[in-house]
Amino acid sequence: MKLKKLLALLIVALMAVSFVACGGKTNNTEETQTSEPKITVEEFKAELKNLGIEGTEEETMYELVGATAGFKFTADDKTLELYTFDKDSNAYKNAKKDGKLTMESLGSEITENVTVANGYAIILPTDFPQYDAVLALFNRLQ
């Protein structure tokens, strides 16, 4: 009988330890941690070229999503859009919370392939050239 109680107590203790270990993980998209140095938007653009991604760049109508700046970069018929936000703006807070951009004057939402972090939002198609490398660059933006 004592063995059963001891075994039950041991199992409970192991479960408690495993819950504590799993409970410490948080999902914080605001500040993505990376060992790579932070970069500016201009350095981001230069790094695209360093990756061998050739394309055309044009300014977007970034005001429609509440951003302070933005541009499109098209390569191999695929377009990424990068927006810079004031982190204190409602547009940024909503984008971060919802994982989508809202075109304020039209009331429509952009929901596909939107990643929001560090005061920026990127619309990056999964078939964009060197998708993983470009996303890693995005996560380094300061």
Side-chain angles (χ1 to χ4, degrees):
M1 191 66 154
K2 282 187 173 184
L3 185 58
K4 286 184 180 179
K5 287 183 181 180
L6 183 60
L7 186 58
L9 185 60
L10 182 61
I11 290 172
V12 169
L14 285 172
M15 288 176 55
V17 168
S18 67
F19 285 136
V20 169
C22 292
K25 184 178 179 184
T26 60
N27 185 9
N28 185 358
T29 58
E30 172 59 20
E31 297 297 330
T32 305
Q33 297 298 319
T34 179
S35 60
E36 297 288 327
K38 296 293 185 183
I39 60 174
T40 65
V41 172
E42 290 306 314
E43 290 169 325
F44 176 88
K45 293 175 185 180
E47 287 294 326
L48 289 176
K49 290 184 172 80
N50 289 342
L51 288 171
I53 302 172
E54 297 294 328
T56 58
E57 177 187 332
E58 62 184 273
E59 191 171 291
T60 63
M61 291 197 278
Y62 54 85
E63 301 92 350
L64 290 176
V65 295
T68 58
F71 74 94
K72 290 182 185 182
F73 186 84
T74 303
D76 296 339
D77 294 324
K78 308 295 179 211
T79 302
L80 76 76
E81 296 180 38
L82 181 69
Y83 296 97
T84 304
F85 286 88
D86 173 355
K87 286 184 179 182
D88 295 325
S89 71
N90 287 334
Y92 178 71
K93 290 176 185 176
N94 290 335
K96 189 175 90 171
K97 179 182 69 158
D98 300 334
K100 58 188 169 189
L101 299 177
T102 302
M103 289 198 273
E104 295 171 346
S105 62
L106 302 176
S108 62
E109 298 174 340
I110 302 169
T111 58
E112 293 184 31
N113 307 314
V114 176
T115 304
V116 181
N118 305 324
Y120 297 93
I122 190 170
I123 301 171
L124 183 63
T126 55
D127 57 352
F128 192 83
Q130 298 195 42
Y131 172 85
D132 291 330
V134 174
L135 191 58
L137 284 176
F138 170 76
N139 287 324
R140 290 175 50 201
L141 282 169
Q142 57 182 354

